[in-house]
Structures are given as C-alpha cells and as structure tokens.
Amino acid sequence: LAAQTPPLAPDETTGDDGIVVTGKTQPHAGNAAFDQARNLSRVDRPYEQALARFERPVCPGIFGLEADYAAAMIDRVRDNAARAKAPLAKERCSPNLVIAFVDNGQSLLGKLEREQPELFSRVAASERSELLRGARPVRVLSNVATRRANGAPLARYRGREVQPAVRGRSISESFFLPTRRDIETALVVFDREAVRGMTLVQLADYATMRGLTHTRPASSDVPLQTILSLFEDDAAAPP
C-alpha cells in the first residue's frame, strides 16, 4: 500500500478536489420515429387495428420496363422481402405485388376503376380519392382484407362484415388483436417521367416499402430519413 501513488491533492488555488465533466443530453429519437410511423401508417387506431401485411407468399412482377432492368428490380424486391422475413413465392409464380411503369398512372387507375371496380371494393373513400385525383408521381392500390387472427373470414350480418370487439376482452386475450389485415395484392404505379435520374435500387426499395405495407407517401414534414421520401424535393431519401 505504501508503494502506491498517493492521491492527487486538491487544487490549492481553486479548492477543487475533483474533475467535473459536463455535457448535454441528446433528444430521444424514439418519439420522432414513433410519430413518423404514425404519420406514414394508414392505421387509424394503433392499439385496436393491426398493421396490414402480406400473409401469402410474395410474388413480385414488373411491366413497362426493359427485361434486364425488370429482372434486377425483382431480385432486389425479393431480397428486401426475405430480409423483412416476409413469405416468398417461388420464382415461377403469379404476381401479387405488381410494379408498373406507365406514362400516366392516374389514367391507368381510372381505367381500372371503370373496367374492374372490384379492385377498389376494399379501398376507403379517402384513399380512392388519393389514387384517382391530383398529380402524384406514384400511386399504390392495395387490396387489404380484414380477417380473424387465425386467418378465418369475418362473420357477416346483413351483407356486412362484423368486426370482433377489441374492448371488454379478458386479460389473456388483450395481449393479442382479434383480427389481422392481409394484403392480398398490391399495385405500385410509377409515372415514367417522375423516375428519371433515380436508380433501380431506389425504385425497388421504394416499391418494397409501399407494396409490402399499407402506407401513405411521405411528406416534407417527416423528420427522419426514409426511402418513402424519394419523391419529396425537401426530404432526404437514402441513396
């Protein structure tokens, strides 16, 4: 013990007998991320309504793009889906996540509504307005079906689906939502003019996020970097 270095003596001029480290705490990013997710999600009641997702194996397909480019995009989308642990169909399959490059997306969806109105039967009025009106570089038509948590169809009463009650359930049941929302098919439509200068990776990642989930396009008010900001002039999107 006598051989140890003696402790430092207090500073005789200041009387300070230690080292004080000061700093500023960084704002917690969790709240910002949660708010961003709420803004992008189409879930109106987050503790009563499940996020929509693919339960069936995902089969991406592309039209309106040269074959080599389309193959590269499909590979990227499939890789993204695998990393997200989404079920994947074999390569020879019937596409249920379709990515289209067209001259005018609004015109295409307007034609689909007239000729195949059943595609819009599960689309809310506000979302239908987004799809069919206004100037948008990308439009996403998601066919989302609500089912029981075990995948069974909902009961019907007088032609309408009956949603199971969320409130008033037992404690053990309250940990799980009684329903789930399955994306049956998704159509992601890009206007060709709007994608000039963008990479295949960016477009594939954007299509993955919009196709595998039921989201809104990001606005310039979104605080965090996201690929969903790809078409926003004032927002930063990943390369």
Side-chain angles (χ1 to χ4, degrees):
L1 292 177
Q4 291 183 354
T5 304
L8 296 176
D11 190 327
E12 295 179 357
T13 59
T14 63
D16 187 9
D17 60 354
I19 299 174
V20 178
V21 179
T22 60
K24 295 181 179 180
T25 58
Q26 294 295 323
H28 183 51
N31 292 337
F34 179 80
D35 292 341
Q36 175 181 341
R38 284 288 305 275
N39 290 334
L40 296 176
S41 170
R42 292 189 185 274
V43 175
D44 299 322
R45 303 180 304 279
Y47 299 104
E48 299 180 13
Q49 189 178 25
L51 290 168
R53 65 181 186 180
F54 267 91
E55 293 288 347
R56 295 180 178 178
V58 178
C59 177
I62 295 179
F63 73 84
L65 201 62
E66 292 183 12
D68 290 345
Y69 295 150
M73 275 195 68
I74 287 176
D75 286 345
R76 176 72 178 189
V77 172
R78 291 181 68 89
D79 183 60
N80 289 338
R83 285 188 291 156
K85 300 187 184 305
L88 267 175
K90 296 181 179 180
E91 292 188 5
R92 293 185 178 274
C93 53
S94 179
N96 53 15
L97 170 55
V98 178
I99 303 167
F101 292 86
V102 300
D103 292 331
N104 190 317
Q106 182 180 16
S107 176
L108 172 64
L109 289 177
K111 182 179 180 180
L112 287 176
E113 187 196 32
R114 293 190 301 272
E115 297 180 358
Q116 301 183 52
E118 67 277 4
L119 293 176
F120 292 79
S121 61
R122 294 191 178 111
V123 179
S126 59
E127 188 176 349
R128 183 178 300 198
S129 178
E130 289 179 17
L131 291 170
L132 301 175
R133 295 173 178 81
R136 296 181 179 276
V138 189
R139 300 165 198 266
V140 182
L141 173 59
S142 298
N143 181 3
V144 181
T146 302
R147 305 181 186 279
R148 289 188 173 274
N150 62 2
L154 296 179
R156 303 184 72 87
Y157 178 71
R158 294 185 177 179
R160 292 188 177 184
E161 293 179 337
V162 179
Q163 297 279 349
V166 175
R167 297 190 177 120
R169 304 162 74 217
S170 67
I171 295 178
S172 61
E173 290 176 327
S174 64
F175 288 105
F176 304 95
L177 292 174
T179 60
R180 72 188 200 194
R181 299 171 68 230
D182 294 1
I183 300 177
E184 303 284 338
T185 60
L187 172 62
V188 183
V189 182
F190 291 100
D191 282 0
R192 286 197 181 96
E193 190 64 31
V195 304
R196 291 184 182 275
M198 297 179 181
T199 67
L200 292 177
V201 169
Q202 286 178 316
L203 296 173
D205 290 351
Y206 185 92
T208 302
M209 286 292 292
R210 294 297 307 276
L212 292 186
T213 59
H214 193 208
T215 55
R216 297 182 178 90
S219 69
S220 57
D221 296 331
V222 173
L224 303 181
Q225 187 183 59
T226 168
I227 193 63
L228 296 179
S229 302
L230 183 61
F231 293 92
E232 290 296 319
D233 294 336
D234 300 330

